[in-house]
Amino acid sequence: MAEQGEDRDGLVLDRLHLPLGPFLSDWPAGLTIRLVLQGDVVQAADLDEVPVLAQRPVEPFWVRPWVRAAAGEPVSTGEATRRRAAARLDSLGRLLTVAGWPAEATRARRLRDDLLDGTPAAAFASRLEPLARRVGRSRTLSWLTRGMGVVTAQEAQAAGVSGPAARADGDVAARYRQWLTEICHDVARLDDHSQLDLAEESPRGRWDAQQPPSAALLALLPGLLHGAELAAARLIVASLDPDLDELAAHSLEGAARG
């Protein structure tokens, strides 16, 4: 139900309480954000305390190589970088869909599937290059996303954020471009048969089951969404794309030890 309150311009407008998630197309599975809107502007944003998918132990798919390596299993660097690049293509596909570019979103998801299917590095690189060029150089996408959800490198460090979101040092546009840069970098390492070093980052940052990187990304969201328009809020969430399965990794480790 709507209620009234002053907006940022001092006008008295209806306030609408609107939940986003947990089951929403092209949305982090299990995430619920409760918004207070005046018009299409977010006046307040709060996360549900216990995300749906974190209530039970699950093996997080995108960080499985790191979970296995932490348990002492042999995992190659190439296997981990393949999974990391696929995860970032998955995130990119979600953002492109939210941004209204379904054709490139489909291409990103096909490339994700190619990686997971074991496509050799040389063949994959030739398929990736056109997508990286079109998306990375798109003036329309850059214009659509510029200035949204700015996270400086200093703010990221203070919040415990690592990975692409920290290195991007900027807005939504900076973050999807950082994904593209790092995906291209990972493709050159798909055939690395050395043992995975746990200092090697997982898709969303430094892996630690006690403090998974997605926890820090989630903590950023309420502040980034405050004052944003509703359409921008979807893009901001997509550009961070926290993986709630990571939050269950601690419970999974505990169950395994028990």
Side-chain angles (χ1 to χ4, degrees), residues 11 28 47 54 63-64 68 89 101 129 135 142 149 154 162 165 173 180 184 187 196 207 227 232 237:
L11 302 175
L47 306 180
V63 294
R64 188 173 296 167
R68 289 172 48 214
L89 281 165
W101 203 354
E129 195 275 335
V135 174
S142 176
Q154 293 78 9
S162 56
L180 288 168
C184 293
V187 170
L196 175 64
W207 177 247
V237 173

Side-chain angles (χ1 to χ4, degrees), residues 137-170:
R137 298 179 183 178
S138 171
R139 293 182 181 180
T140 301
L141 184 61
S142 176
W143 174 83
L144 179 67
T145 57
R146 67 186 178 188
M148 291 181 180
V150 175
V151 180
T152 66
Q154 293 78 9
E155 289 168 340
Q157 182 179 13
V161 173
S162 56
R167 286 187 289 276
D169 189 21

Side-chain angles (χ1 to χ4, degrees), residues 238-257:
S239 73
L240 293 175
D241 198 30
D243 179 7
L244 272 68
D245 279 359
E246 291 183 3
L247 307 187
H250 185 202
S251 299
L252 183 68
E253 287 190 354
R257 287 194 297 269

Side-chain angles (χ1 to χ4, degrees), residues 59 63-76 79 83 198:
E59 185 177 33
V63 294
R64 188 173 296 167
W66 287 265
V67 173
R68 289 172 48 214
E73 295 183 36
V75 179
S76 72
E79 177 185 350
R83 184 65 61 96
L198 284 174

Side-chain angles (χ1 to χ4, degrees), residues 49-129:
E49 289 186 9
V50 183
V52 171
L53 296 182
Q55 295 181 22
R56 58 183 177 83
V58 295
E59 185 177 33
F61 178 78
W62 294 118
V63 294
R64 188 173 296 167
W66 287 265
V67 173
R68 289 172 48 214
E73 295 183 36
V75 179
S76 72
T77 300
E79 177 185 350
T81 55
R82 182 177 289 272
R83 184 65 61 96
R84 182 171 62 201
R88 289 170 179 170
L89 281 165
D90 184 71
S91 296
L92 181 64
R94 195 155 24 251
L95 184 143
L96 291 171
T97 299
V98 174
W101 203 354
E104 293 306 314
T106 298
R107 290 186 179 93
R109 286 163 172 158
R110 286 174 178 166
L111 288 168
R112 171 203 63 192
D113 293 344
D114 287 344
L115 276 178
L116 295 175
D117 288 342
T119 299
F124 181 80
S126 64
R127 300 178 194 174
L128 173 64
E129 195 275 335

Side-chain angles (χ1 to χ4, degrees), residues 186-206:
D186 277 343
V187 170
R189 305 176 65 202
L190 295 182
D191 297 325
D192 187 340
H193 299 293
S194 64
Q195 188 78 6
L196 175 64
D197 183 345
L198 284 174
E200 186 85 35
E201 281 189 348
S202 66
R204 290 164 176 84
R206 293 184 298 272

